[in-house]
Amino acid sequence: MPASRIPPDSERLVPPNFITEIIDEDLRSGRYETIVTRFPPEPNGFPHIGHAIASFIDFGIARDYRGRCHLRMDDTNPLTEEMRYVEAIRRDMAWLGWDWGEHFYFASDYFDRLYEMAEQLIKEGKAYVDSLSEEEIRAYRGTAHEPGRPSPYRDRPVEENLDLFRRMAAGEFEEGAHVLRAKIDMSAPNMKLRDPILYRILKAEHYRTGGRWKVYPMYDFAHPLSDYIEGVTHSLCSSEFIDNRAVYDWLVENLAGKCGLPEWPRPKQIEFGRRSLEYTVVSKRKLIQLVERGLVDGWDDPRLPTLAGLRRRGVRPQALVAFARKVGISRTDRTVDIALLEWAIRDDLNPIAPRVMAVTEPLRLVLTNYPEGKVEELEAPYFPPDVGKPGSRKVPFGRELWVERSDFALEPPKGWKRLAVGGHTRLRHAYVVRIDEAVTNDAGEVVELRGVYLPDTLGRNPEGVKVKGAVHWVAAARAVPAEFRLYDRLFKVPFPDASEGSFLDHYNPDSLRVLQGYVEPSVTADDPETRYQFERLGYFWRDPELGRGGKLVWGRIITLKDTWKKAGAQKQEAKREPRPAKKAGPQDKAAALAPEEREVFERCRHLGVGEAEALQIARDERLRSYLEDCSAYGPPALAAPWVVHVLGRAIRAGGAPVEPQALMALLAELEKGAFDRRVAKQALEEALASGGDPLERARARARDQLSAEALAALVREVLAAHPDEVAAYRAGKRGLMGFFVGQVMRASAGRADPKQVQSVLSQQLDRGSA
């Protein structure tokens, strides 16, 4: 394995961020020679999209620095863990493209060594057996405002602690009778340091070690020491473990050079902000409820955010890696618009998915002037010109066709551009047709269309006839029957966990629609792994589970990119409803919109646009048109706040000098962390005032910012000028970070990047407290 190095930004899979800045400094200072990370899931459920993001950070950073990443099962809880989950984790991580080589481990591999380390702490008087009950331990721990009280068992002699711990391990006591606790500080501001529990009694069969052990280590004990045993240098974890770092460091410090552990290198824990996704839950407990209640079809149901579900849905791993890269890494928690994931999936599929035709809700169309029994083969390309890939197939055309039921209107509304009696419409890759008659049944339902085709319209429009739109179709004589499974979001609200009531109250019963229709015959000769774009319907592939035995079952991977056309075009115009006199919130105001505007509002919200922004976009055609143009270059949810709040006035006044493509290029670099939001906003405002490329302006501003060396020196000066505040911060007053950031920003005259300021402050403050 080659030694780690600081990679150029152009070579990084993971965009530069505060973690890579720490690693760069560790390599420059010689603290570590090779970077070793680890991905340590607990095998108590199937991996989900959150694991995709976390594993991207662990494996991606190791790859960038030519180090290694271990895959380790954090299997210290025998009550919930199973081997089938281990296999699912290995399968899903390999599917994402991660390579751990020979470095696949289990925390349970270290049970003997961990037990030895626990005894070492007891022998040194740094751990004791506590016989308080769980409730008593909680009461003795105190509160965030009151120090804890020492347990009456805290000063047991070393020999008594050793004897009790060994008897616990031998199974002499019942669960809950005793625990092993670290002896740290019952008055520490960080409550995690108030004598944390290291071992508890659990008389349960472990899926790997059977009934050998009667005591099992807690996460806070097993995790740092497993890292240490494996030679991990950077233990990257989410922000929920930020307070646990104090225990991590205490154990590393007190066991360094003992029980076979080297004195150096020692592992370092670094926390990054958690990423949650709209319209999903990722709690394993909640996912299990969905599975056990039959609301989904197992762990690999295509509606679930599990990697098995996404794989069965047809999502490729490349899309998830691109999504994780787009989400980025920061210290703060963030909820990600689901539109960003959907955009990444479409962006991955667009260049590789052949275009073919299918009809999901078929309505028969009979062309009365086409010869009976005749079937001709028409040439149709697999890809549009903008994709630029070769390939075509023969599409049969005959007297009877299947068209989409929703493409016909018996009473077409204003602006209708599809099939209607008396209207001319082009059949995709084929002729122009005119509908002459709609046949209805006794209930008034349309059961068949009759019309004629215009023979001279193959590849050109007829003279003197206005052709409105184009629709897809399949020739009835050669159509292949198929089932179509249309997936939607599993929950009806963006935040099912945070909304009123149980998350199950927000389950979407319409998250799966099963339809019976037809697909063109060309697909039957293709590789079953092929992902297609069914024209005008979305991206589909054959369900690998339900499509066995020759049955054609197509699952929709994702809908087509939203065109952001004026919503409500298929409905009659309606008068605006009167506005309420009182001041109303976004939802109240949305309820007062005209029907067309209301549909735009709902469409925006569905794509992840904020309520306030969606409301303004719904009311203003110019904002809506500008955002529609932006959606061709990236997620509309990313652009909407900038369109409304920064560019809105110029757009409403007749047009902004910033082109949509230029805006999206700027935002793409912002998402990568090339500069902060403040720089991006200033660059846009300058471009509005005097023209120019906002991205180039932002890059120039970023270059004008303080260098890393100058910023580090400035931070040292600020900390030296405020020794009392530094001491208070290191004693646990983490809220002072805002004070320090403000002092540095003032001292830099605004030339510093606030994110970099916080990163450098954290490094210097934490280094001083080590």
Side-chain angles (χ1 to χ4, degrees):
M1 176 71 68
S4 296
R5 62 181 177 84
I6 301 175
D9 290 351
S10 60
E11 294 183 11
R12 295 180 190 260
L13 174 63
V14 180
N17 58 82
F18 77 95
I19 295 176
T20 60
E21 291 173 1
I22 294 172
I23 293 176
D24 291 347
E25 179 59 31
D26 286 341
L27 290 173
R28 278 193 291 263
S29 68
R31 176 168 182 162
Y32 303 108
E33 295 182 358
T34 299
I35 300 305
V36 182
T37 62
R38 83 292 166 268
F39 179 61
E42 184 179 358
N44 61 357
F46 279 59
H48 51 67
I49 196 164
H51 293 99
I53 296 173
S55 65
F56 168 79
I57 296 172
D58 288 319
F59 281 97
I61 286 178
R63 195 215 71 165
D64 286 347
Y65 287 91
R66 293 163 60 178
R68 68 176 189 268
C69 182
H70 301 173
L71 178 60
R72 180 173 75 235
M73 300 297 109
D74 179 20
D75 58 346
T76 60
N77 185 354
L79 300 176
T80 60
E81 297 155 355
E82 300 179 28
M83 184 57 75
R84 68 177 178 127
Y85 296 137
V86 172
E87 295 306 320
I89 292 168
R90 291 184 59 153
R91 180 174 59 249
D92 290 345
M93 292 302 106
W95 176 68
L96 286 174
W98 308 138
D99 180 13
W100 50 88
E102 62 185 11
H103 299 285
F104 177 64
Y105 304 110
F106 295 85
S108 55
D109 288 337
Y110 312 132
F111 279 173
D112 287 295
R113 293 191 66 181
L114 293 173
Y115 181 84
E116 178 189 355
M117 293 175 196
E119 285 206 350
Q120 180 68 31
L121 291 175
I122 294 173
K123 292 173 183 177
E124 294 181 7
K126 298 175 181 177
Y128 63 97
V129 173
D130 194 355
S131 304
L132 292 176
S133 68
E134 182 179 350
E135 293 76 15
E136 290 170 328
I137 290 175
R138 188 179 301 113
Y140 271 68
R141 185 167 281 135
T143 69
H145 307 291
E146 298 177 352
R149 294 175 291 152
S151 166
Y153 306 101
R154 196 171 193 264
D155 295 322
R156 274 177 164 153
V158 168
E159 294 75 14
E160 183 180 354
N161 283 318
L162 275 176
D163 176 66
L164 285 171
F165 187 52
R166 289 168 180 171
R167 290 165 63 192
M168 287 166 59
E172 289 189 25
F173 305 110
E174 295 301 315
E175 294 182 6
H178 307 287
V179 293
L180 181 69
R181 298 178 69 179
K183 187 184 291 186
I184 305 181
D185 183 359
M186 287 302 294
S187 62
N190 182 351
M191 293 183 66
K192 293 288 185 180
L193 287 173
R194 296 182 185 178
D195 292 8
I197 297 173
L198 306 182
Y199 266 87
R200 79 285 203 196
I201 301 171
L202 275 180
K203 295 186 175 181
E205 292 278 323
H206 191 278
Y207 74 102
R208 292 189 74 235
T209 61
R212 179 187 173 194
W213 292 96
K214 310 301 181 187
V215 291
Y216 290 91
M218 302 294 290
Y219 170 88
D220 277 347
F221 184 74
H223 183 74
L225 298 179
S226 297
D227 285 348
Y228 209 160
I229 290 169
E230 294 176 16
V232 169
T233 59
H234 295 82
S235 181
L236 312 178
C237 59
S238 57
S239 57
E240 62 191 293
F241 296 104
I242 190 168
D243 289 336
N244 304 63
R245 190 199 330 150
V247 180
Y248 189 107
D249 292 342
W250 186 88
L251 287 166
V252 167
E253 178 68 26
N254 282 279
L255 287 167
K258 304 168 186 175
C259 301
L261 296 174
E263 179 63 37
W264 198 262
R266 301 179 187 180
K268 173 192 291 188
Q269 177 174 304
I270 305 173
E271 307 85 17
F272 53 84
R274 298 183 68 182
R275 297 293 185 259
S276 55
L277 187 66
E278 292 180 333
Y279 295 95
T280 59
V281 295
V282 294
S283 160
K284 291 175 183 175
R285 178 179 58 82
K286 293 177 180 177
L287 292 176
I288 288 173
Q289 288 186 59
L290 291 169
V291 172
E292 292 181 345
R293 295 189 182 204
L295 297 174
V296 294
D297 182 25
W299 283 96
D300 66 345
D301 187 293
R303 293 167 291 174
L304 286 179
T306 59
L307 299 187
L310 290 165
R311 181 169 61 247
R312 180 177 164 191
R313 186 159 178 162
V315 175
R316 301 203 310 163
Q318 295 93 323
L320 296 184
V321 172
F323 169 67
R325 193 177 196 278
K326 194 75 173 174
V327 165
I329 304 172
S330 67
R331 293 184 184 274
T332 56
D333 295 347
R334 174 183 167 193
T335 297
V336 181
D337 289 343
I338 197 170
L340 186 62
L341 173 62
E342 294 171 344
W343 177 84
I345 295 170
R346 293 188 191 101
D347 191 61
D348 175 64
L349 292 172
N350 180 56
I352 62 99
R355 276 58 167 174
V356 298
M357 293 189 290
V359 175
T360 59
E361 295 183 274
L363 175 63
R364 187 181 298 273
L365 167 59
V366 180
L367 301 175
T368 57
N369 66 333
Y370 196 89
E372 292 192 34
K374 178 183 176 181
V375 175
E376 63 178 305
E377 301 282 345
L378 304 179
E379 192 80 17
Y382 273 128
F383 295 94
D386 64 304
V387 174
K389 293 180 69 173
S392 63
R393 80 281 189 194
K394 298 292 185 180
V395 180
F397 184 88
R399 178 183 174 90
E400 295 188 8
L401 310 174
W402 294 115
V403 295
E404 204 73 54
R405 183 170 296 275
S406 59
D407 279 339
F408 174 77
L410 193 59
E411 297 179 7
K414 182 179 178 180
W416 182 257
K417 294 182 180 180
R418 289 175 277 171
L419 300 170
V421 175
H424 291 80
T425 308
R426 178 169 295 282
L427 300 178
R428 186 83 169 129
H429 308 302
Y431 301 96
V432 172
V433 298
R434 184 189 70 231
I435 305 301
D436 296 328
E437 180 185 3
V439 180
T440 59
N441 60 17
D442 293 339
E445 300 169 331
V446 177
V447 295
E448 182 177 287
L449 302 178
R450 293 177 183 172
V452 297
Y453 85 110
L454 282 60
D456 296 329
T457 56
L458 198 61
R460 62 189 183 91
N461 285 330
E463 295 183 7
V465 176
K466 188 174 183 180
V467 179
K468 295 184 178 180
V471 299
H472 58 277
W473 54 276
V474 178
R478 302 277 184 86
V480 179
E483 178 177 294
F484 301 90
R485 301 175 72 83
L486 308 184
Y487 301 108
D488 201 349
R489 295 170 182 177
L490 195 56
F491 295 96
K492 295 178 288 187
V493 296
F495 310 107
D497 275 332
S499 300
E500 186 176 351
S502 165
F503 78 103
L504 293 174
D505 295 337
H506 307 292
Y507 171 79
N508 179 12
D510 298 320
S511 57
L512 170 62
R513 292 177 62 212
V514 180
L515 304 174
Q516 304 299 323
Y518 299 94
V519 65
E520 69 174 68
S522 67
V523 301
T524 59
D526 293 339
D527 187 331
E529 293 286 317
T530 305
R531 277 89 167 161
Y532 296 97
Q533 185 190 112
F534 287 169
E535 298 200 45
R536 303 178 64 236
L537 297 177
Y539 292 97
F540 288 75
W541 86 323
R542 300 187 197 182
D543 188 299
E545 296 297 323
L546 300 176
R548 294 176 178 175
K551 183 180 179 182
L552 281 184
V553 179
W554 299 95
R556 186 167 66 189
I557 305 170
I558 195 77
T559 56
L560 294 177
K561 181 194 290 187
D562 296 282
T563 59
W564 283 74
K565 298 300 181 185
K566 185 177 180 182
Q570 300 175 21
K571 299 181 178 180
Q572 298 287 355
E573 290 186 341
K575 294 182 179 179
R576 183 185 300 273
E577 297 178 8
R579 302 267 179 93
K582 65 177 183 178
K583 185 176 180 180
Q587 286 295 343
D588 295 328
K589 293 178 180 178
L593 294 172
E596 290 183 4
E597 294 175 337
R598 173 70 182 183
E599 191 163 343
V600 172
F601 176 84
E602 295 294 346
R603 186 69 167 159
C604 288
R605 295 294 294 137
H606 183 72
L607 290 169
V609 177
E611 287 184 350
E613 291 81 10
L615 186 64
Q616 295 198 45
I617 292 164
R619 287 177 171 170
D620 196 298
E621 178 67 33
R622 290 160 296 188
L623 293 179
R624 190 184 315 160
S625 177
Y626 189 94
L627 192 59
E628 175 185 342
D629 294 338
C630 288
S631 69
Y633 306 104
L638 181 64
W642 299 85
V643 171
V644 172
H645 302 298
V646 182
L647 303 179
R649 179 175 297 179
I651 293 172
R652 292 187 184 97
V658 177
E659 294 294 325
Q661 185 173 1
L663 171 64
M664 298 310 291
L666 173 74
L667 299 184
E669 290 299 301
L670 173 63
E671 288 291 292
K672 294 177 183 177
F675 37 77
D676 60 29
R677 293 179 65 87
R678 178 175 58 91
V679 168
K681 186 172 185 291
Q682 292 170 343
L684 272 179
E685 290 171 344
E686 291 174 359
L688 283 174
S690 54
D693 184 355
L695 178 55
E696 289 305 315
R697 288 182 176 276
R699 286 171 173 165
R701 280 187 165 274
R703 287 193 295 270
D704 188 49
Q705 290 184 333
L706 290 178
S707 66
E709 293 76 13
L711 178 58
L714 189 60
V715 168
R716 286 194 292 271
E717 292 177 7
V718 168
L719 296 183
H722 298 87
D724 294 340
E725 288 81 0
V726 170
Y729 177 90
R730 289 173 176 165
K733 293 190 67 174
R734 301 288 168 165
L736 285 169
M737 177 58 74
F739 166 79
F740 290 125
V741 171
Q743 293 296 318
V744 175
M745 291 301 296
R746 277 191 287 274
S748 72
R751 293 177 59 214
D753 178 346
K755 290 184 179 179
Q756 293 180 355
V757 169
Q758 185 167 350
S759 175
V760 175
L761 279 167
S762 296
Q763 294 177 50
Q764 295 198 19
L765 287 167
D766 291 344
R767 185 183 303 131
S769 61

